[in-house]
Amino acid sequence: MIQAAVLLLYALLVTLLTPLLPLLYLHPRLRAGFLERLGRSRLEVEPGGIWMHAASVGEGRIAANLIQGLRARGPISVLRTCTSASARGVDIGADQQVMLPFDLPLLMLGMLDRVRPRLVVLVEGELWPGLIWACRRRGVPVAVVGARAGPGLDRLRRLPIWGEIQRAVSWMPVDVAAAALVGGEPTGDLKAPLLEEVARPPFRWSGAAVIGACTYAAEEQALLTAVSLLSPRPLLILAPRQPDRFDAVWAWLERAGARAARRSRMGAEVPEGTAVVLLDSMGELARLYPAASAALIGGTFDARIGGHSPAEAAAAGCPVLHGPETRNNAAAFDSLDTRLILDLEELPEALREVLAAGRPIRPGGGARARVELVSERIWRLMRPDTPPERALRPWLWPLAPLWLLAVMLRPRGGRRARVPVISVGGLTAGGSGKTPVAAWLAAQLQAAGQQPAVAARGYGRRSGSDVRERGESVDLGDELTMLARRGHRVASCPDRVAGVEAAVRSGATVAILDDGLQYGAIHRDLEIIVIDGRWPGGGGPIPVGWRRVPLGWLGQADVVWVNHGGLPAEWRPLLKPGAAVVEARYVPTGWLRRGKLLPLDGLPRRPVVAMAGIARPEGFFRMLRSLGVQPVRQWIRADHEPYAWGDIQSIEAWIDDHVVLTTEKDAARLPSQLGVYALQVELEIVSGEAALREKLGSIRYGGAP
């Protein structure tokens, strides 16, 4: 109880420091991603996934293995946070990577409310009290994977809040020594690559090569001296531990007169005559081990560091040399056949012996089995449901009744049209999937012999009160243009009554109102309310969130259509008797390009640029990743934002040597012959289709009622 109070006191004290946050911008290492550190990330992950914090490149290797193991168990979205720009630049397979917000309770609570994860995983010793406190407040479980005994853990154990932190998380320590301090069952080292075949090296060389992995100055000097004494002289590849030392190490190599090359300025071959390669790149070290003749693991000659992990080198079959200081990765070193060097002066002779012995063939050490076991433990720790939505801007609650009152005062009832009218509307302002539902209905009614027309105000169209049934997005609005390009009859007009009448004169036998929930000037024969199951309530009514109408309006719906999930159980009493509930999901069907539908595997093999200007761009990017498409660049625009002439010129320049992917809605705002590939998505009903078709069948079609 006392320690819980101390943890609360910590949260209050650091909250008082919030006004000082701008001063942290003066720190050069904190400037990268500073807005993200303030919790201002534009998130592209969907709720109900895992938030995995892996601070650096090394922790990212563990996270990459865990992500692979988790996704072997089932589909799951993963947000990875880190604390360095270099770590963020290495792809580990997460859906998105952003900087971890500063450990202030308000920032962490805000991040949790936006991510809404079912579990937070902290890799190795990254224990942030503010994040742990926020997770307790929001009911999100926390797992610590790979904790190691060492100075960092010793310092945390001396804090007065240690006992509360220890009880607040589930521990998966790396070895027995750490388990004795924190509890839990040891996992073993998780950094070794899971694949038995490692990708080919990023560059080639002839002869032997020695890697200095995660090195510091004394080790680098000893390695340079040692290889110069060997004959024939092997290539030395130096991979300094800290990226901010790259320039300093390069300057030292130049002063030493070494024939050196920087990886960042090399191609696929080491230049002839090169004696040293400075690996000033990120994410390539693991791919070099399979072709190297030996590796010296850095940090093993300094008791303050305690040694870095040898798992990647050992898994690749590379002979490992190290010093006596290995306590941070004791379990990994104890399980491997490595060469111990008590002093750096022994390095030349040790290298001579290892190179003369040749390279043995070594297995990966059971890395896959360990990762599968830990992934299973993590999977069991996830809470069964996604944390509920919370108010996005709670300080605006006093203004919410004014908005809801204005909505309820709008006229309802409206006059009957000469044909049946089906209204498709959403509780929230954008992103629920109203237009895909309207497209599904139009296709089904057309297949049943009807002549449907979709009528909407035409958001984003050129001003004017006239009815428009043909044209581009400036004439119709982007959503109706998208439907028209699919071959559906449309009518764009701010006056939906006039739009429906014009469609009837053109031969329509049934009208579908896209975004018709709040439009009360016309009678509807079927009311469909669409909800996104991931954000059903929109974070509260406008201006607190983006819900446009009171929840009580669900009682007007003949059909409640839920995309990406199910209807919240507490909302079911709001429905009127006999209302149908439909659950559906998006399914990609192909690529639309210049009016033709291409198969999903029909993309050219070129780098990909992906752009999206829709309410929920994260769903589009996630779908691309599920199709195996990894964009080299993502361009996010505001919903409905038009493309200026300069934007179109940029896209044309990309098309020359890239594949440009976008959404159908974005493509509708672009010239049809531009050459972008638009992902066509259809709705697949998961449940409730029979009840929906019964509702559709009860409508009297074919003329005036």
Side-chain angles (χ1 to χ4, degrees), residues 197 239-240 299 321 371 703:
E197 292 185 8
L321 297 88
V371 168

Side-chain angles (χ1 to χ4, degrees), residues 282-618:
M282 305 303 297
E284 293 188 328
L285 182 57
R287 295 168 57 195
L288 293 169
Y289 286 130
S293 306
L296 177 71
I297 305 301
T300 55
F301 295 90
D302 190 332
R304 296 169 299 176
I305 300 171
H308 298 296
S309 174
E312 289 184 330
C318 181
V320 171
L321 297 88
H322 64 90
E325 305 297 340
T326 60
R327 57 184 171 79
N328 274 354
N329 288 277
F333 281 102
D334 291 344
S335 64
L336 298 173
D337 181 17
T338 59
R339 173 66 181 268
L340 171 63
I341 304 172
L342 296 177
D343 190 278
L344 283 171
E345 293 181 357
E346 302 176 14
L347 185 56
E349 185 60 29
L351 279 177
R352 185 177 288 109
E353 293 177 3
V354 169
L355 295 178
R359 180 190 166 104
I361 299 176
R362 303 187 183 188
R368 181 173 296 279
R370 291 196 298 273
V371 168
E372 289 178 354
L373 178 62
V374 175
S375 300
E376 181 181 357
R377 295 183 197 171
I378 292 174
W379 197 270
R380 290 201 304 263
L381 288 174
M382 286 193 296
R383 58 180 285 169
D385 60 336
T386 300
E389 288 181 287
R390 302 183 71 87
L392 294 181
R393 297 173 287 271
W395 57 90
L396 294 178
W397 269 115
L399 300 178
L402 299 177
W403 170 267
L404 295 178
L405 179 62
V407 170
M408 296 182 71
L409 289 178
R410 292 184 179 182
R412 305 288 294 172
R415 67 177 187 178
R416 284 184 175 272
R418 290 186 293 148
V419 298
V421 173
I422 301 172
S423 170
V424 179
L427 288 182
T428 60
S432 58
K434 300 180 294 294
T435 301
V437 172
W440 187 92
L441 290 168
Q444 299 300 313
L445 290 169
Q446 191 169 4
Q450 297 297 321
Q451 297 297 319
V454 180
R457 63 171 172 152
Y459 187 91
R461 76 176 209 162
R462 197 169 45 225
S463 62
S465 59
D466 57 316
V467 179
R468 302 168 189 169
E469 298 177 271
R470 295 177 182 81
E472 295 298 320
S473 62
V474 294
D475 306 303
L476 303 174
D478 48 15
E479 282 136 338
L480 290 183
T481 303
M482 180 184 80
L483 296 177
R485 289 184 179 182
R486 284 195 177 196
H488 297 303
R489 188 193 307 263
V490 300
S492 172
C493 185
D495 181 353
R496 250 70 68 88
V497 173
V500 170
E501 289 298 321
V504 172
R505 290 194 296 272
S506 298
T509 60
V510 56
I512 301 170
L513 296 184
D514 187 1
D515 196 17
L517 180 59
Q518 294 176 275
Y519 189 79
I522 190 169
H523 173 81
R524 58 281 319 272
D525 297 86
L526 192 70
E527 184 84 73
I528 299 177
I529 293 181
V530 183
I531 295 170
D532 189 320
R534 301 163 296 185
W535 298 275
I542 296 173
V544 176
W546 65 90
R547 193 177 73 243
R548 297 191 297 182
V549 299
L551 286 178
W553 280 33
L554 284 171
Q556 303 176 16
D558 301 295
V559 178
V560 176
W561 186 304
V562 187
N563 292 320
H564 313 295
L567 184 70
E570 62 272 20
W571 288 9
R572 287 191 175 271
L574 301 175
L575 306 186
K576 69 180 182 183
V581 177
V582 175
E583 295 180 6
R585 62 187 177 192
Y586 291 162
V587 177
T589 57
W591 302 100
L592 283 169
R593 185 171 188 263
R594 294 174 177 165
K596 295 182 179 180
L597 183 61
L598 306 175
L600 289 173
D601 60 357
L603 291 178
R605 295 186 178 276
R606 296 203 301 269
V608 170
V609 172
M611 57 187 190
I614 55 179
R616 294 289 181 190
E618 60 271 15

Side-chain angles (χ1 to χ4, degrees), residues 637-648:
R637 303 169 59 86
D639 191 17
H640 295 286
E641 181 182 357
Y643 288 87
W645 176 244
D647 299 328
I648 295 175

Side-chain angles (χ1 to χ4, degrees), residues 139-357:
V140 178
V142 180
V144 178
V145 178
R148 302 174 184 274
L153 190 58
D154 291 340
R155 286 192 295 268
L156 284 170
R157 293 176 65 239
R158 289 195 292 268
L159 295 177
I161 57 176
W162 167 251
E164 192 65 24
I165 291 176
Q166 187 176 10
R167 288 189 293 271
V169 305
S170 298
W171 294 92
M172 301 180 197
V174 70
D175 53 24
V176 175
L181 297 175
V182 300
E185 185 177 347
T187 64
D189 199 299
L190 300 173
K191 284 186 178 178
L194 297 188
L195 300 178
E196 294 185 8
E197 292 185 8
V198 183
R200 64 182 182 180
F203 54 86
R204 296 181 295 275
W205 63 87
S206 59
V210 174
I211 294 177
C214 302
T215 53
Y216 299 85
E219 296 154 344
E220 291 153 4
Q221 292 170 6
L223 277 167
L224 184 60
T225 300
V227 297
S228 67
L229 298 175
L230 300 178
S231 181
R233 178 171 176 165
L235 175 70
L236 175 60
I237 302 174
L238 288 179
R241 172 65 178 177
Q242 296 117 333
D244 57 5
R245 292 187 59 240
F246 289 160
D247 289 340
V249 175
W250 178 252
W252 164 69
L253 289 170
E254 288 186 319
R255 289 195 303 270
R259 301 190 306 276
R262 296 186 73 147
R263 170 64 184 121
S264 59
R265 300 172 187 171
M266 281 173 36
E269 301 276 353
V270 174
E272 186 176 354
T274 298
V276 183
V277 171
L278 173 60
L279 193 67
D280 59 344
S281 60
M282 305 303 297
E284 293 188 328
L285 182 57
R287 295 168 57 195
L288 293 169
Y289 286 130
S293 306
L296 177 71
I297 305 301
T300 55
F301 295 90
D302 190 332
R304 296 169 299 176
I305 300 171
H308 298 296
S309 174
E312 289 184 330
C318 181
V320 171
L321 297 88
H322 64 90
E325 305 297 340
T326 60
R327 57 184 171 79
N328 274 354
N329 288 277
F333 281 102
D334 291 344
S335 64
L336 298 173
D337 181 17
T338 59
R339 173 66 181 268
L340 171 63
I341 304 172
L342 296 177
D343 190 278
L344 283 171
E345 293 181 357
E346 302 176 14
L347 185 56
E349 185 60 29
L351 279 177
R352 185 177 288 109
E353 293 177 3
V354 169
L355 295 178

